[in-house]
Amino acid sequence: MLVLGLQGSPRKKGNTAYLLNLFMDEAEKLGAKTKIIEAAKLNIKPCMEYIVCEKKGTCPIDDEMEHEVLPLLRNADVIIPATPMFFYSCTAQLKALIDRTQVLWARRYKLKLTDPLRKWRKGFLIAVGATKGKNLFEGMNFTAKYFFDAVGASFDGSLTYRKIENAGDMEKHSTVRNDVKEAAEGLLKPLLSRKRILFVSSDDSCSSQMAKAFCQIAGSNKFEAESAGFNISENIDNNTLKVMEEIGIDMKYRYPKKVDSIIKDFRPNVIIQLCNTGRAVDYGDCVKIKWDTVSGKGVSIDEIRNIRDEIDKRIKDLIIEL
């Protein structure tokens, strides 16, 4: 499970950084994998309103938002923006990142495509402000609400602190450690208790990716799904993307992964090998299942549709069985 932090403050060791790092430490203690993106360090250009995203579902701006941030947002189970208050909203660096998620909003609401994790992904806000006004976080709450909707996450709570102005104020706060511990446990424990299923194919570009997506849609409240391959392709097969979009499932910004790179962190309870991979995954005493499915590599789009429908049925049966 990936907890993704979006650090909005340009200060390396400020109060916002302390609070986000404290949350991530608790997440790792619970067993989650974490990653923090520092918005101020990335080359993220502001949205230019080209409107290409609303017509084609892609952004023509070629920068780290397109190649790094959007794939991470799609891979994350929990997304946590963290920011100091600047004029009742977030920093300009974090706002640029948020604005560029318009492409994900467009894929959902203009192209009518649904991210497989949309129903289950969680969003959580961390914010600090120097003043004590009761409306201090009102603007940021609205921004977070619509940001989470754009990236496909529910708004599952926040940690916000007033009168945090000087260096070290957050670290000196009397309840912050207990606040963070309780928030992290409440947010993450239900997700960490899920059974983990790894789908493996030769190159992780077709059948394993579809199996992962169908499993996430149908059972991500009880199962955490991943996919991987031994000799991976650079991208998911284009016809695979097309046939999934035909039934409204959005798999853009997903990429093949190597078995060796995820097996230790993911620690599967069940491994399902699809088609003939030529190798078996050697991992402990987990349940191992072999599905006699056809590889999608080099076959026609009609054959990939048949693979899609077969895997959809197998996943529904698997969830009932497990």
Side-chain angles (χ1 to χ4, degrees):
M1 184 185 76
L2 176 62
V3 180
L4 179 64
L6 308 177
Q7 168 59 285
S9 175
R11 288 184 177 176
K12 293 181 180 179
K13 298 182 179 180
N15 289 300
T16 304
Y18 173 80
L19 187 53
L20 179 59
N21 287 330
L22 195 63
F23 195 102
M24 292 306 204
D25 288 344
E26 287 296 329
E28 290 180 359
K29 289 177 186 177
L30 290 168
K33 182 180 179 181
T34 67
K35 183 174 180 62
I36 294 177
I37 291 174
E38 295 187 55
K41 290 185 177 181
L42 296 179
N43 172 30
I44 299 178
K45 299 174 184 177
C47 176
M48 299 299 292
E49 286 194 292
Y50 291 130
I51 316 298
V52 174
C53 63
E54 296 191 8
K55 296 177 180 178
K56 298 183 179 181
T58 59
C59 180
I61 301 175
D62 188 18
D63 61 4
E64 288 179 285
M65 185 70 193
E66 176 73 11
H67 300 291
E68 180 177 349
V69 180
L70 290 173
L72 282 170
L73 289 171
R74 278 294 171 88
N75 192 47
D77 297 273
V78 179
I79 298 172
I80 305 178
T83 185
M85 287 297 93
F86 279 29
F87 288 88
Y88 291 85
S89 188
C90 58
T91 61
Q93 293 89 345
L94 182 57
K95 188 58 165 60
L97 185 155
I98 288 172
D99 288 349
R100 290 286 302 285
T101 62
Q102 178 72 7
V103 66
L104 301 182
W105 178 93
R107 294 184 68 81
R108 174 68 181 95
Y109 290 105
K110 293 294 185 179
L111 302 187
K112 308 301 181 185
L113 299 173
T114 298
D115 169 21
L117 276 176
R118 183 177 185 84
K119 188 176 178 181
W120 316 106
R121 186 181 291 113
K122 295 181 179 294
F124 191 88
L125 172 65
I126 286 175
V128 299
T131 63
K132 62 180 181 180
K134 70 175 184 177
N135 296 325
L136 176 59
F137 301 108
E138 190 171 302
M140 189 59 221
N141 281 330
F142 275 114
T143 298
K145 175 183 177 181
Y146 293 106
F147 165 65
F148 289 140
D149 181 62
V151 299
S154 54
F155 194 167
D156 285 271
S158 63
L159 281 175
T160 57
Y161 294 89
R162 293 172 170 81
K163 299 179 70 174
I164 303 297
E165 185 171 11
N166 300 311
D169 279 354
M170 202 69 258
E171 190 172 358
K172 297 171 188 174
H173 195 283
S174 60
T175 67
V176 65
R177 291 171 182 81
N178 189 59
D179 294 345
V180 169
K181 181 178 174 60
E182 288 186 358
E185 288 180 352
L187 187 69
L188 303 182
K189 276 189 172 181
L191 296 175
L192 288 164
S193 65
R194 297 174 297 173
K195 183 169 292 194
R196 295 177 295 278
I197 304 175
L198 176 63
F199 298 96
V200 179
S201 64
S202 57
D203 62 1
D204 194 31
S205 68
C206 181
S207 57
S208 55
Q209 288 282 350
M210 290 193 287
K212 171 184 173 181
F214 282 126
C215 188
Q216 288 174 330
I217 291 168
S220 278
N221 59 329
K222 294 183 179 180
F223 305 102
E224 181 182 357
E226 257 297 359
S227 69
F230 293 104
N231 300 299
I232 63 169
S233 299
E234 185 176 351
N235 296 296
I236 297 178
D237 174 73
N238 281 333
N239 283 338
T240 298
L241 296 177
K242 289 178 183 177
V243 302
M244 294 298 275
E245 287 182 2
E246 287 174 358
I247 58 173
I249 298 176
D250 190 1
M251 292 172 59
K252 186 173 174 58
Y253 298 114
R254 294 181 168 217
Y255 294 93
K257 300 176 184 177
K258 288 185 177 181
V259 170
D260 293 342
S261 70
I262 71 166
I263 192 78
K264 292 180 181 179
D265 288 334
F266 187 62
R267 302 187 300 275
N269 304 112
V270 180
I271 296 176
I272 297 178
Q273 294 201 209
L274 300 94
C275 58
N276 183 17
T277 61
R279 291 172 58 186
V281 181
D282 183 18
Y283 183 80
D285 297 326
C286 67
V287 176
K288 298 180 179 68
I289 301 172
K290 178 71 166 64
W291 283 358
D292 186 21
T293 55
V294 178
S295 172
K297 192 170 184 177
V299 302
S300 70
I301 192 167
D302 285 334
E303 289 175 292
I304 292 180
R305 289 189 183 99
N306 291 334
I307 295 171
R308 176 198 67 194
D309 296 342
E310 179 187 354
I311 290 175
D312 185 16
K313 183 180 183 303
R314 283 180 178 265
I315 290 296
K316 289 172 181 174
D317 292 341
L318 176 72
I319 289 173
I320 293 172
E321 179 184 346
L322 295 179

